[in-house]
Structures are given as C-alpha cells and as structure tokens.
Amino acid sequence: MADEPKPEGGAAEPGKPAAETPKAAPPKPAAAAAGGHTPPKPPAPMASTPWEGEIPGQLKERFGDQIRECAAYLGQNFLAAKPDAVIPILEFLKLEADFDYLVDITAVDYPKRAERFDLIYILYSFARNERLRLKTMIADGAQPPTAVNVHVGANWLEREVFDMFGIQFAGHPDMRRILMPEEWEGFPLRKEMSIIQQDDRWVKENLGIESGQ
Amino acid sequence: MPDATFLDTTELVLNMGPQHPSTHGVLRVILKLDGEKVMGTECVIGYLHRGVEKIGENRTYQQFAPYVDRMDYVAAVSNGLGYCLAVEKLLNIEAPARAQVTRIILTELNRIASHLLWLGTHALDIGAITPVFYCFREREEVLKIFENYCGARLTTHAFRIGGLQYELYDGFEEQVKAFCDMFLPKVDEYEELLTNNRIWVARLKGVGILSGDECKEFGVTGPVLRAAGVKWDLRRAQPYSGYEQYDFEIPTGENGDTYDRYMVRMQEMRQSVRIIRQAVDKIPTGPIGKTPKVIKPATGEVYVSIEAPKGELGYFVVSDNSTQPYRVRVRPPSFVNLQALDRMVRGGLVADVVAIIGTLDIVLGEVDR
C-alpha cells in the first residue's frame, strides 16, 4: 500500500519492526490476554524506528531537548514533544515546513500513566505530500494552549477533545461541549467510563426516565 | 434604550432546525440576522451522537466494522474501506488483487450514489423538484448492485479486514457495465436540467465562496476544496487500493462558489464511471482474501485516510496488542467541513444558508458519530 514515504532504510521492513529497532519495547501479549483491555505500561510501547531527515534535523536544531523523539511506525512519521513546545512547533511546521493543513486533533487516555493523556496532532503538507503526527503527553487537569491561533480549524477539534476527554485548552475562544449536551457530566472517552454509563441525573431531568439502559 | 424610533434595528436571532427539511438531518443552526443579512451563525450538533469511537474500544476489530457504516450512511462502502485499510495497515497486510479491484468498483459506485443523493436533495433545497426523482431512480440501480452483492442496500458492510467476505455474483460485471452505459447519458440529462438553468445559476453563482487558502485553514477537503481550485485528491496524492493504476482526472473549479462545487461533483460522477469501467475490465482471478480469525495487532498506532465522497475520511487506530482497539478515532470530513459554514454564510443572505448547507454535502450521522 502506497502511503507516506518511508523515512530511511530502517523502516523498509515494517512487518518485523521489533527485531531491528534500538528502542523497541517488546509487545506485551500477557497483559492483553489477561484482561482484554489492560493498557500497556509507560513509556510509549510502540516498536518504532528512528526517523531521520531534513525535518527532524531542523526541529532538533531549533527546539533541542523539547523534542523527545522523532520516529516512524509502519512508515508513518511522528514526533513526540513536550507540551510547552507544541504550539511553537506547529507554528514552525506551518510557516517554514509547509505543514499547512491540520488534519485532526485527538487524544488517547492511558489512566495508569502519570501524564495521563496522549494529545495527537495530525498534520499534512500539500507541498510535500507528507503527513506527520505530533504527540505530546499531558497530565489530567493540565491545560495545554490552544492551536486556534495557528490553525483556525483547531476550534471544533479541540472542543471535541474537551467534550470527550475533559482536556481544557487554555486560550480557546469557545471552550464548550460540542457533541454531548452542555449540562452533561463526565467525559465519555475516558477509560473509567463504562460503555453503558450515563449521566443519570441528566437523563432523568431531560428525558423523564430513570435510565436509558 | 431611550428614544427608540421605528427606524431602529435590532439583531434578530433565528433558530433553524434541528427538524428542518433542508438541514439534511438533525442540524441546528442559530442565525444572527440583520434584516436579510447573516451576521453570524452558531451550529448546534450532536443530536445523532452514538459514541461510535467508544463502541470501537469495546468491540473486537471485526465486530466494529459494521458500526462504521452507520456514520456516513449514504457512503457506507467508503467508511468500511477506510476502516479495513486502517486495520490492515496496523496488521501490515494487504488485500489480494481481486479484492482490491472489487473494492474500487464498489467504492466508486458508492461515490456515485452519494453524489446522486446530494444532487437530488440540493436541487430540492434550491427549489428544483424534478432532479430528486431522477437521481433516486439511478441511485436505485447502484443500490441493487449492492443488494445483489451482499444483501444490504445502505449499510452494506461490504468488505472485511483482509479482503472480501463474498465472491462476486454471476453477472456482476454485466450489471456494472450496463449501469455505466446507462448512467453517463443521465448525467448529461441532469446537466440539461440544471447547468444553464437561469434560476439555478442565479441561486448558486457567487454564493458561499470559500477560497483555497480558507479551505486549508479550516482543513476542508473533498469537492469543496477542489472547487476552490486546489487539485488535491487522496486517490491521486497518496493512492491506496491500487488507485495509481487507473486513469482519471481530478475535476477542479475556479471560484470556490456553490456553482463550482456543483460542477465538480457532476464531473466526479463521470470520472467515477471512468474508473469503474477500467476496473471492471480487469478484475483479476484469484483469492478474495480471508479475514484473520483473531486480529491482534502489535502495539502501535496508525493513521490511514481515504478520499470519501465528502472529503478526507481518516481512521486513527491505536492497538495495545489485544483483540480490541485501544482507541479508534474517526476523522470525519463532514464534521470538519461543517466548521467552515460560518465563514461561508457570514455577510450573505439568509436564503442562501440553505444552499450553502446543501453544497457542503454533510451527513449528520458522520458529523455526530
């Protein structure tokens, strides 16, 4: 399947990445078999390969140790950065590396980790025809700065992340729920929320029934 | 306010929807009006939110596949293709050639069906009653092919991770070819009704302009982006399922207005027929692929996107090496495109809001998920 350009020779065999990667954390089948959904332990357990090239070089030169990792998984490039550096990196990528299209912002919840959430920005460059993912880890209650000033389209995407995970974006012009009702309590995509769990008070007040289940 | 006179004006707040025939589902738009001029809007969405992403975390990879059909339910085949490709990427496998060609035929048929539904309802919104009957007549032929293939017309679940579930039925090629031969003159017929129709042109030209730069700012993709003159189509930019083997053009517009978006979608239907004709002539023999019984990808995450009828449809799937996805994120084109509505209607007339919602071609099932 033709996808993003492979970064270096290292990712030529993405089928068996674990065998050839320096910082590969071995998969943990035991955890999965035991409980179905036990999240893996920190740090990021992905069997990624290093990503080298022009962009990681520029970024490392510019942002130094703010960049934690430049890597690729199955030929898809991503970089991990500290939360404070996210907006400057987005700005840099947009203005100086042509990553002018913010595809998506989303989050992943790892409740057992100290920095609980992965915040993920997916970017695309029309000029380069390349994608990359910018990841950062934030703790529960932390307020990462909004990306609205860099990419207008971040507005609704951040609202959805807030709605689903309860991550407040500092400086966002309109930080409200977007899909769930505004008075709803709880954040559905957090892992402690069961799939049938509801805000019973809201259901009772607005639908006049004890529970939707 | 003291000394109010009859010449004073106030801003009028008008509620449109969620139950309104031209919002194409349950979309509520709060309009701030100064006379007939739109000063601003606010979209209220979420009425169809079913928690698709949460469901994904609680089902196995195979079990979740039928659910994705329920997002953009008029282009269920595209949804399924994107999901299958994402999981296949995570597993680092590829569907066999026969499955890939079949996928392309069905996906392009679905693009035609989706565009036909758009054309019919959009024309209806503008006030042209006839096209909707014509469009649904031809769409029916596409749905019959889906029904013959997998038994379902709308939420098809046509593909499986790793390939296909069903072998093609006898007479599939003939039926698809017959559809193509029948359909192209019909597109001309729609165009005869609309393209130079004075009312149609007057209602659409120069309405709801969104420039290429604005599209990129908002992340707007699909026909809306192409109508603004940006020649970008994921089928060409980052081909999947073997799209690089087909000859087709990427239609673009110039002005990024509602009329150009109409023209782009009409051209796209013709290009889809072109792709289908090439594909149906070269369906290779061989296996159609087999769904692995247990899907347990190695720990990792991938983002895979396809060119759905409405724009870039992406799946971001995180695996924790179990049989269920740790996280499935759907990047819905309708949701992202709808965000540009405010920019498009601001400063225009209230009557054009209906035209602009129609031209965005949103499906609320996908906006809300």
Side-chain angles (χ1 to χ4, degrees):
Chain A
M1 203 167 43
D3 212 323
E4 285 90 326
K6 302 248 162 82
E8 288 290 306
E13 286 248 323
K16 311 138 193 141
E20 54 182 349
T21 48
K23 51 188 131 187
K28 302 179 184 75
H37 238 173
T38 317
K41 290 190 170 64
M46 210 168 7
S48 51
T49 50
W51 168 35
E52 278 147 18
E54 183 199 352
I55 296 169
Q58 284 176 354
L59 282 168
K60 276 178 183 153
E61 188 184 315
R62 177 91 169 239
F63 295 98
D65 60 356
Q66 298 278 71
I67 307 268
R68 289 160 41 148
E69 188 186 12
C70 290
Y73 183 70
L74 294 176
Q76 301 191 339
N77 299 331
F78 65 91
L79 64 100
K82 292 187 178 164
D84 295 342
V86 166
I87 301 304
I89 291 175
L90 285 176
E91 240 163 25
F92 170 81
L93 285 172
K94 181 184 177 185
L95 297 175
E96 291 175 50
D98 291 326
F99 282 89
D100 48 355
Y101 165 25
L102 175 70
V103 181
D104 201 2
I105 301 178
T106 189
V108 186
D109 184 12
Y110 296 98
K112 290 188 180 160
R113 215 167 60 182
E115 291 164 309
R116 177 171 175 171
F117 298 104
D118 261 3
L119 199 58
I120 292 147
Y121 299 76
I122 301 172
L123 299 165
Y124 177 81
S125 160
F126 286 98
R128 296 167 183 264
N129 190 19
E130 263 179 55
R131 263 180 218 296
L132 75 80
R133 289 199 297 272
L134 172 58
K135 301 208 300 185
T136 188
M137 291 196 276
I138 55 167
D140 194 5
Q143 297 203 350
T146 175
V148 168
N149 301 325
V150 188
H151 296 279
V152 182
N155 191 324
W156 281 21
L157 296 169
E158 286 179 353
R159 276 180 70 186
E160 192 182 336
V161 171
F162 165 65
D163 194 357
M164 294 292 140
F165 292 92
I167 299 172
Q168 295 254 10
F169 289 86
H172 189 285
D174 189 19
M175 195 81 270
R176 288 178 301 142
R177 286 186 180 275
I178 187 162
L179 295 177
M180 303 299 287
E182 277 190 41
E183 315 81 35
W184 190 272
E185 276 174 29
F187 300 104
L189 280 179
R190 289 191 173 205
K191 287 288 177 187
E192 73 262 19
M193 284 285 174
S194 123
I195 187 166
I196 57 167
Q197 197 172 339
Q198 294 188 331
D199 179 357
D200 288 334
R201 183 195 56 79
W202 190 92
V203 171
K204 200 172 176 181
E205 276 175 19
N206 292 278
L207 305 181
I209 51 176
E210 281 304 311
S211 163
Q213 296 299 329
Chain B
M1 283 236 178
D3 301 324
T5 71
F6 70 96
L7 285 174
D8 280 346
T9 53
T10 49
E11 202 178 66
L12 177 70
V13 176
L14 185 70
N15 181 58
M16 179 175 169
Q19 302 293 342
H20 187 283
S22 65
T23 54
H24 296 227
V26 277
L27 166 69
R28 180 174 167 218
V29 185
I30 301 167
L31 300 161
K32 296 190 186 82
L33 303 175
D34 175 10
E36 282 209 68
K37 206 170 151 199
V38 181
M39 307 304 286
T41 64
E42 189 187 326
C43 284
V44 182
I45 58 174
Y47 296 97
L48 267 183
H49 181 60
R50 293 147 293 171
V52 166
E53 293 173 13
K54 188 75 180 176
I55 294 171
E57 293 174 11
N58 288 275
R59 297 285 180 274
T60 65
Y61 286 94
Q62 295 98 321
Q63 283 173 337
F64 183 53
Y67 286 90
V68 299
D69 287 2
R70 272 92 184 151
M71 293 186 299
D72 181 357
Y73 38 77
V74 301
V77 180
S78 295
N79 289 291
L81 177 66
Y83 177 69
C84 289
L85 288 175
V87 179
E88 283 162 15
K89 173 88 180 163
L90 204 55
L91 291 165
N92 207 24
I93 58 172
E94 213 172 284
R98 185 174 170 83
Q100 291 204 1
V101 176
T102 310
R103 282 176 174 188
I104 284 188
I105 296 171
L106 292 176
T107 315
E108 290 304 321
L109 282 171
N110 203 174
R111 188 182 311 276
I112 292 173
S114 169
H115 281 8
L116 281 176
L117 189 117
W118 160 80
L119 178 64
T121 52
H122 185 41
L124 200 59
D125 290 345
I126 306 291
I129 311 286
T130 315
V132 70
F133 300 112
Y134 286 19
C135 291
F136 272 66
R137 183 183 63 194
E138 272 74 72
R139 180 168 173 263
E140 182 65 25
E141 297 306 312
V142 176
L143 299 188
K144 274 182 191 160
I145 295 175
F146 292 161
E147 191 176 8
N148 284 343
Y149 174 67
C150 63
R153 291 156 51 86
L154 206 63
T155 47
T156 49
H157 192 202
F159 310 138
R160 298 295 187 273
I161 296 156
L164 307 171
Q165 169 86 338
Y166 309 109
E167 198 33 274
L168 294 173
Y169 60 90
D170 288 340
F172 174 80
E173 285 95 334
E174 289 72 33
Q175 198 177 0
V176 171
K177 278 181 189 163
F179 170 79
C180 290
D181 295 341
M182 177 275 290
F183 182 64
L184 275 187
K186 302 288 184 195
V187 184
D188 299 336
E189 210 171 280
Y190 310 144
E191 285 221 59
E192 261 170 52
L193 281 174
L194 296 171
T195 303
N196 295 316
N197 180 320
R198 273 179 67 184
I199 303 171
W200 183 254
V201 174
R203 286 297 308 274
L204 261 53
K205 274 239 158 126
V207 169
I209 294 176
L210 199 67
S211 72
D213 286 341
E214 283 173 317
C215 285
K216 289 178 186 173
E217 245 179 79
F218 280 101
V220 171
T221 46
V224 184
L225 176 69
R226 289 190 282 275
V230 180
K231 202 169 183 160
W232 186 78
D233 187 317
L234 267 172
R235 289 174 292 174
R236 191 48 69 68
Q238 300 190 338
Y240 51 89
S241 287
Y243 267 110
E244 65 277 7
Q245 302 158 24
Y246 300 92
D247 264 346
F248 63 99
E249 270 151 38
I250 305 173
T252 53
E254 281 169 12
N255 310 316
D257 60 359
T258 304
Y259 189 79
D260 278 8
R261 289 188 279 271
Y262 155 74
M263 289 307 285
V264 163
R265 290 199 179 95
M266 298 306 276
Q267 293 300 324
E268 277 186 20
M269 289 198 272
R270 293 198 174 92
Q271 295 301 325
S272 287
V273 169
R274 203 169 147 192
I275 297 171
I276 295 167
R277 278 184 165 155
Q278 292 169 51
V280 88
D281 279 336
K282 60 165 209 182
I283 303 176
T285 51
I288 55 168
K290 217 168 131 190
T291 314
K293 279 229 168 60
V294 178
I295 294 182
K296 215 169 142 183
T299 307
E301 54 192 45
V302 293
Y303 174 81
V304 174
S305 59
I306 63 160
E307 185 72 33
K310 278 129 194 121
E312 175 173 352
L313 170 71
Y315 288 88
F316 177 68
V317 187
V318 181
S319 163
D320 63 346
N321 194 231
S322 73
T323 54
Q324 297 176 330
Y326 188 74
R327 167 101 171 93
V328 187
R329 158 72 183 168
V330 185
R331 190 269 182 200
S334 293
F335 177 81
V336 180
N337 291 3
L338 181 60
Q339 194 178 178
L341 177 73
D342 184 68
R343 178 75 60 97
M344 292 161 83
V345 300
R346 207 175 269 251
L349 298 177
V350 64
D352 292 336
V353 173
V354 167
I356 294 169
I357 293 174
T359 191
L360 275 174
D361 192 16
I362 49 165
V363 166
L364 270 300
E366 187 180 57
V367 173
D368 298 340
R369 284 152 290 139

